[in-house]
Amino acid sequence: MAIKNNILTLFFILVFFICAGLLNKNLDKPSFKVSKQSSALNISHELLSIFDLGQRRLFSDILWISTLLESDLEHYKENDLNSWLYLRFNTISVLDPLFLKNYQFGGQYLSIIKDDLKGAELIFRKGIKFYPDDYLLNFSFAFLLAFELEKTKEAILVYEKLKNFPQASLFVSSLIIKLKHKEKGDLSLTYELLEKTLENTQEPVLKIKLLTDLYAIKATLDLKCLNNNKKNCDTKDYDGEPYIQEEGKWKSIKEFNSYKLHIKRTKKRGK
């Protein structure tokens, strides 16, 4: 009888999510815009743990799929661990602590897309407790530490561990040396590491954001070099298109937003 009730309950939960998705897709949306942060449904993981009926893995899978479908690109401007995506990824980690993809993708998404650095750090740290030797998880975490949270010493320790992994290239060893002498706002080093991050990224949304950032950093560095009349400047952008000169000033054909290190934005929030 208990098994029958559990199956019936799970059936209604699945029907609920399917209906919610269909309604969201087919109903006419109101003319005003409501952010995903304001409209997202987040259920307390404590509550889910009480009523999971022994089906924690199924609940986490349902939440994971719905999170991927609902995920947005809007930056989270606060620093209070209240972004809806952080809450989702954290809940999934409670329901299914061994769900590796949740830590790998969740940490990267919070860091690269949502700009929720505090949430990303906690998700990465939680994942590394369960998967201390996962290369991608550690590599992404080290980037967050070094270039977004400015915790360079801790980042170097992570890279020191990574250089002994079979997946690690000579780049990791050279990166450790560069980090020990890195200056704040080192865009050239950021560019190198973002290229390596792109190589290890499979998620399409993350790839698009990384490609956008790489274009912006390269254009920023190249145009600064050209407009300062320096030698050996690269004359083509990330897409291979040549820079153009208008009214004595070098410009890119494609418009781009200047790349800003997350560190600066984080410090402003604390003021």
Side-chain angles (χ1 to χ4, degrees), residues 14-220:
L14 288 171
V15 170
F16 169 78
F17 275 102
I18 292 171
C19 291
L22 290 174
L23 286 172
N24 181 63
K25 182 178 179 180
N26 297 321
L27 286 179
D28 291 333
K29 305 297 188 298
S31 57
F32 58 89
K33 182 179 180 181
V34 179
S35 69
K36 189 62 189 176
Q37 177 64 25
S38 300
S39 63
L41 173 64
N42 276 299
I43 304 172
S44 166
H45 56 73
E46 289 89 352
L47 184 62
L48 280 173
S49 297
I50 294 173
F51 294 103
D52 64 6
L53 305 175
Q55 300 293 332
R56 298 168 72 95
R57 178 66 65 83
L58 178 59
F59 272 118
S60 68
D61 288 346
I62 292 172
L63 279 177
W64 174 254
I65 293 170
S66 65
T67 300
L68 294 183
L69 293 174
E70 298 171 19
S71 57
D72 66 327
L73 307 179
E74 183 179 350
H75 283 184
Y76 187 67
K77 300 179 182 179
E78 304 301 326
N79 194 29
D80 56 3
L81 295 179
N82 198 41
S83 72
W84 77 272
L85 271 172
Y86 165 71
L87 294 174
R88 284 284 184 89
F89 292 134
N90 189 53
T91 295
I92 293 169
S93 73
V94 172
L95 292 173
D96 188 0
L98 299 182
F99 192 173
L100 176 58
K101 197 70 173 178
N102 181 56
Y103 302 118
Q104 291 176 330
F105 176 78
Q108 278 194 311
Y109 202 96
L110 289 171
S111 170
I112 297 172
I113 305 294
K114 297 296 290 182
D115 209 14
D116 182 2
L117 307 185
K118 192 173 182 178
E121 181 180 9
L122 289 179
I123 291 296
F124 277 137
R125 288 191 187 280
K126 182 177 282 193
I128 287 173
K129 285 182 180 179
F130 294 101
Y131 296 98
D133 297 324
D134 183 78
Y135 184 81
L136 177 58
L137 195 58
N138 281 275
F139 189 90
S140 301
F141 180 49
F143 175 81
L144 175 74
L145 291 171
F147 293 90
E148 298 178 311
L149 296 176
E150 207 175 12
K151 296 182 179 181
T152 308
K153 290 183 179 179
E154 187 177 359
I156 290 173
L157 291 177
V158 179
Y159 283 122
E160 288 280 6
K161 180 175 75 171
L162 286 176
K163 73 178 183 181
N164 298 316
F165 281 51
Q167 304 96 314
S169 63
L170 293 176
F171 169 78
V172 176
S173 295
S174 66
L175 177 62
I176 293 170
I177 298 172
K178 292 177 181 179
L179 278 175
K180 290 179 179 179
H181 301 89
K182 142 179 131 63
E183 297 179 359
K184 292 182 180 179
D186 189 338
L187 283 182
S188 296
L189 190 52
T190 304
Y191 182 85
E192 288 184 61
L193 195 48
L194 280 178
E195 279 195 312
K196 292 298 179 182
T197 302
L198 180 64
E199 291 178 9
N200 293 314
T201 299
Q202 302 298 324
E203 301 296 337
V205 177
L206 291 174
K207 281 188 173 183
I208 291 172
K209 181 60 167 62
L210 288 169
L211 287 169
T212 301
D213 288 345
L214 285 167
Y215 184 97
I217 294 175
K218 186 177 188 327
T220 299

